[in-house]
Structure formats: structure tokens, C-alpha cells
Amino acid sequence: MQLSRLAALVSACVASVGAQSTFSPARPPAIPLAVRSPYLSVWLDGGSDGGDGGYLAGEWPTFWQNQVFGWAGIVRVDGAPYTWMGSLPNTMSVNQTAFEYTATKMSSLDGGHHDVQVYADISAEWVSGDRNAVAQWDYGTADGVSYHRVYRQTQLAFSEVNQQSEWGYWYWATDAVNSMTYQSGADTTVRGQFSQHGKLSNSGDTNYRAISNSWPVFGFASDLGSVGSSSASTLFSIGLTQDEAVQFEGTSTYAPVPSLWKSYFSTDEDALTFFHRDYQRANYLSSGFDSKVSGDSIALAGDNYNVLTSLAARQVFGGTQLCGTEDKMYLFLKEISSDGNVNTVDVIFPAYPFFLYTNPAYLKLVLEPLFENQESGKYPNSYSMHDMGSSYPNATAHADGSDEKMPLEECGNMLIMALAYALKAQDLDYLTAHYDLLNQWTAYLINDALYPANQISTDDFAGSLANQTNLALKGMIGIQAMSVIARETGHTADATNYSSIAKDYIGKWQDLAINKDASPPHTTLSYGDSNSHGLLYNLYADAQLGLGLVPQQVYEMQSTFYPTVANKYGVPLDTRHTLTKSDWESFAAAIASTETRDLIFQNIATWINETPTNLALTDLYDTVSGNYPNPTFIARPVIGGAYAPLLLNS
Ligand SMILES: *[C@@H]1O[C@H](CO)[C@@H](O)[C@H](O)[C@H]1NC(C)=O
Ligand SMILES: *[C@@H]1O[C@H](CO)[C@@H](O)[C@H](O)[C@H]1NC(C)=O
Ligand SMILES: *[C@@H]1O[C@H](CO)[C@@H](O)[C@H](O)[C@H]1NC(C)=O
Ligand SMILES: *[C@@H]1O[C@H](CO)[C@@H](O)[C@H](O)[C@H]1NC(C)=O
């Protein structure tokens, strides 16, 4: 079950503060409200080009793609209603003094006691990306939890409309207590009922209809009574249940795969009530995780770095879905916004520092579908597959071998990630189990890494190019990684052979790839193009895996060079444009000098604070204007690259 909680939010005194929202440590372009999976991904626009500047009241929450998700909150104080969430016409808004992530408790500011009721609803916009689709709903109570269940009347399994899922059941829940009332019905009816009376009618509208036909909403009201200076709160949970979450071509034939929670709970209600009642423990654990991330980040590289890592964590998890059974688990990942591919290798790769830092098992689980499919002989090419399918949630794989061709990139990525996981988890059996396929990919690298053919790298928006310096380096590091894999698994002859090949290549690479006459010297974008340059982010894996393949002076040279080409918001990805990627900047920063690293994160933090855009954190942005370019990348899990420095120091 994918669930998120909203602990609300009651101010008994909203009138006395001339409010100014404060953001700490930075104002995000969009604030994650309920972000848990590719289909539970609800944000509040925070940028300066529209919306309400990151105030919860005064604008509608949106799906990551920016269509409105009706989610409204009203609080009545001494009989007067104020909006605390959403954009409700003709109402006064609560002036928040601060927006604390996931929970803003409020209490009386004037010292007196006030009579308070709190209200929240969701609309049917959550259940389909087609606003003409017919929604259906019901209401129930189980084990002390009351819920509205809302769903698309005609379920379209594994289908999307406007990136939203067209199947499954949404649960909107709160504590089943005497002071709680509920109601479903038209938005104006239900919200009007609460605003006027401070409670709902405990009744359901059974006129199932299109989402946009007299907008049905599903409300709860809670009477908190007299609230004084100690805070009061109400807990709401929101979640989506899909018995089967993806379809997958693995060892067996193409078939649906259950959501992992199905192995632990027999019904939706069981999962929901467990989740809702687990709030204190989950809140304790997630607060601990948040503190660890910010504590580690600040200790390593200061507040600017903490800005990026703090925002990135939820976004990476929000691109994934745990599936399978207790005995055979998978982590499926959606390449959100760029094209919806499933478990794209070069989208997993930038996030690998995040997975290893949080829990190495996640890296294994997200690579599992790729290994399983290709080791079943279902992919015809000698190089690594690019992704598990072109349209999440359908992991159809590519039996015809016609996936997006990024051969050198993906072979290098798979070798690096396989070794990185095995070393971190101390799981050498993993390397033995996958040795043959890893060896096959190494042969590809030996053929192509020294003089890479004209091809695209992961930065496919930049077009294809021959002899890409950074791509060649990835291939060579991949070969050296295989030498370690061979050594660790007792393949001594391979170990020696691959190591000598990698060392031979890296010696030649230094002559081909470096403009030694430049002041200061630096690597070029491609061999011999002396005026070009680029972020040499693939060098990171040499350090992270402890390979010692690339001489230290290459690290120092690049670190000295980057500040000389930095723009206001960052170091450009390469000389083809002024764009950069924050994930690759983080990889470069992780292995740079303290001064260069701090400059990079200072520029990224400035960018996050100043970008006019209103969408979940992008990895691709313009280093001069601070804007999102075309293609616009939103909410992609690659942002986990922010954890490259943390992983190196963990
Ligand atoms: C919120 O602040 C604005 C401007 O400071 C003010 O006009 C409005 O009355 C305030 N709202 C409340 C509920 O106090
Ligand atoms: C996934 O496959 C099903 C058929 O099995 C199809 O109906 C659905 O539209 C596909 N989903 C996407 C996102 O392409
Ligand atoms: C080293 O590996 C390459 C590529 O697989 C192979 O062609 C060559 O024969 C190997 N050399 C030795 C000495 O094993
Ligand atoms: C790659 O670089 C090598 C060495 O400079 C050169 O001989 C070769 O032609 C280049 N390949 C392509 C496709 O440009």
C-alpha cells in the first residue's frame, strides 16, 4: 500500500500574525505534500511564477505533472471558517507562520481558548487523469479507522491517463472517534455544510458521476472543542491500493506482479488500519531518518548541501514501487517525466549513491528485473539493455532488442553498480551469480571503450557524439570494476587480463582526452576537441569503488578547472549549452577539493532558492537563467545523485 499521512493543523488563533511563510533551509520549487510512488505524487507549487508562493492555503495541490488534485482544508475558529489548504473561493485563508514538513501543529497564539473544528477532503481528481471518467465511492470503518474509498468506476488495469493511474482504490482516512463526522457530495455542498455548521451530515452521495460533474468530494470534520495554548491535531492518511502494480517479463512469461504489501496484509482495510495506527512509530523512524540525512549532510558539506539532500530523498522514493512476494521482491522504478521508461539503467545509476546510503538492498532489488530478464535469454544484444520497458507500469522488456541504444553507458553502469552493491552489502555470491552476463558486457566495453563509437550517453538530450571523453572513462572504469569482480570470485586470469586492459586504456585516454596546453588544463568533451570541456562525472565511480585506476592528478586537474567555467547557478554540463544536471554536479563535487565542492553546492542551493519554476526538483536546469529548459525534467529519481558525497564518506 502506498500511503502518506497528513497530520493537521489547527490554529486556534489565526488573526494576530501578519504572516510570512518561512522556508528552511530553502524555498523548494515545489513542496512534496504526499509523495510516495509514481502515482501518489502530490506537490504544492512553491516557485515565484504562479501559485501562492508556497503557502498551503491559497492554491491547489497538484500532481507532479501539475494538474490540480483537489485537497481542501478548512478550520473553524469560534464559528468563523478559514481555509488552511487549497484554493477555496470567497474564504479567508489561515496565515501560516511556517510550513513544517508533513505536520504543522498550531495552537492558540493569544493565550485564550477558542472553539475549533477542523475539516479536510479530497476530490475525485485523484482517481483518474480523465476528468470525464466516472468515479465511484463508499464509506467504511475498520479497527478504529474511518475511511472514504474512491475509485474509477471502470477500472483500467495498468493504464495511465495524463500520467495518473486508472486502477486501484484510494483511501482517505482518519480516526473513528465520536467527535468526527463525514460526508460525500458536491464540493460546494460538503464544504459549505462544514463552514456553516462546523460538522458534517454523516451521509453519502450515491449519485456516482464524472469527476468534474458537480465535483464530488469526500470530507471529514473533527471537533476539537476548546483549544488553548497546547496544540491539538487530527491525523489523516491517504493511500492508493493496487493488488497488482506492474506487469513484468521475467523468467516466466509476461504477467502481473502483486504489490509487496499484499504479502503482509490480506485486505486493503488491514493495510490501511495498520498504517494509520502506526503513525507514532513511523513518524519516529522517519524523523530519525531526516535527522540522519541533515546531520550527515551538514557535517560533511554544510547547509547548502543539506538543501539538496533533504529535498532529494522523498523524490527518489517517490519514483519507486515495491512489488513481488516475501520470497521474491522487486523494486520497480518509473523514469518520471522524461518518458516513463521502467527501471532505466542510466536513471538508476545516478541514484545509486542514494540507494547504497539508505539501504543497499534497494539497489539489488531495482537491478533484479534487468538481470532476471536478460539472464533468461530474452534480450538479443550483447550489450546491456537500456530499460525494462518503454511505458511504466509495463515491464515488457525488449525481446526485439530495439530499446534506446546506449550500449557503452549501460554496460559500464551495470558493472559499476553490481560491484558497488556487492561491496557495500558484502554479498560476493551476487557477483558469482551474475558473472557470465557481467563478463559479456565487459567484452563489449573492451571493444568500444577506448574509441567510443558515435552514440548517445545518458545525457541524450545533448545528442550523439563519437569519442566522448567521459563516456570512454565510464567504460574503462567498468572494465577495472570487472577485474575486481573476477578477483573476488576466483577468476584470477580474467582479473589480471581485465586490469591490464583497463590500465593500458587509461594511459592512452590521458593523451586523447586532456587538453594539456589549456590554462588551466582540463579534459575535453570529445577527443581532440581542444576548446571543449564537460563535467567528468564518471570519474566518481573510480573513487567510490576504490579502484585507483585514474591518477590523482586527473582529479585535481578537474577540481581546479571547474570554478573557472562556473556560471551563477552551476558548472555547465559541457560546452554544447549552458545547461547542467545537479546529479552529475554532485558526482563531480564528491571527488573535488573542498573549495570546489562548496562552490558547486552553494550554486545549487542558490538555484533552488531563486529558480522561478514551480515544479518538483529538476535535475536539468539552466546555469544562467535558473529556468527549466526543454526537455523539462520533473520529479525524476535521478536526483538521488545528490547523495554521491555522502556515500563516499559513509
Ligand atoms: C493574513 O494576512 C493578510 C496580509 O497580511 C491580511 O490581509 C489577512 O487579513 C490575514 N488573514 C488572517 C486570517 O488574519
Ligand atoms: C500497459 O499494458 C496494458 C495492456 O496489458 C494496456 O492496457 C496499458 O495501456 C499499458 N499501459 C501503458 C502505460 O502503456
Ligand atoms: C583478455 O580478454 C579479451 C577480451 O575478452 C580476450 O580477447 C583475450 O583473449 C584475453 N586475454 C587473455 C590473456 O586472457
Ligand atoms: C576517435 O578518435 C580517434 C583518435 O583521435 C580517431 O582516429 C577516430 O577517427 C575517432 N573516431 C571518430 C568516429 O571520430
Side-chain angles (χ1 to χ4, degrees), residues 390-411:
S390 46
S391 302
Y392 189 94
N394 294 334
T396 51
H398 298 279
D400 63 357
S402 66
D403 48 323
E404 185 174 8
K405 194 176 174 187
M406 264 180 217
L408 205 164
E409 178 78 56
E410 310 303 28
C411 288

Side-chain angles (χ1 to χ4, degrees), residues 109-297:
L109 293 173
D110 66 2
H113 280 70
H114 299 274
D115 194 31
V116 177
Q117 298 89 39
V118 67
Y119 167 91
D121 70 41
I122 62 165
S123 75
E125 281 156 310
W126 296 60
V127 310
S128 168
D130 172 4
R131 300 300 183 242
N132 294 317
V134 173
Q136 191 164 330
W137 53 85
D138 46 35
Y139 177 83
T141 295
D143 200 14
V145 178
S146 289
Y147 59 85
H148 290 284
R149 184 173 75 141
V150 193
Y151 52 99
R152 197 185 200 283
Q153 190 174 64
T154 307
Q155 296 272 301
L156 299 178
F158 311 111
S159 292
E160 294 183 346
V161 173
N162 286 322
Q163 305 289 322
Q164 289 184 231
S165 78
E166 301 295 305
W167 81 108
Y169 297 84
W170 288 89
Y171 286 85
W172 170 233
T174 194
D175 295 301
V177 288
N178 283 339
S179 54
M180 186 277 290
T181 51
Y182 70 91
Q183 188 174 346
S184 58
D187 56 347
T188 48
T189 307
V190 179
R191 292 166 189 164
Q193 160 75 28
F194 175 78
S195 296
Q196 272 190 342
H197 305 290
K199 61 181 183 198
L200 299 174
S201 63
N202 287 339
S203 65
D205 178 342
T206 51
N207 175 23
Y208 309 128
R209 57 187 182 271
I211 292 164
S212 59
N213 178 0
S214 299
W215 305 94
V217 302
F218 310 91
F220 288 114
S222 172
D223 188 350
L224 299 177
S226 177
V227 175
S229 52
S230 51
S231 66
S233 66
T234 300
L235 179 67
F236 299 102
S237 292
I238 181 81
L240 168 66
T241 63
Q242 291 170 331
D243 285 359
E244 290 166 331
V246 303
Q247 305 191 86
F248 170 48
E249 178 80 45
T251 305
S252 40
T253 50
Y254 187 60
V257 185
S259 297
L260 185 58
W261 63 266
K262 290 290 291 178
S263 291
Y264 299 85
F265 300 100
S266 51
T267 64
D268 289 11
E269 285 79 3
D270 285 351
L272 172 71
T273 55
F274 170 84
F275 178 87
H276 189 79
R277 297 162 69 94
D278 187 47
Y279 174 69
Q280 293 218 317
R281 198 180 62 106
N283 191 40
Y284 170 78
L285 292 174
S286 48
S287 301
F289 174 75
D290 287 350
S291 307
K292 176 170 165 53
V293 168
S294 56
D296 287 358
S297 301

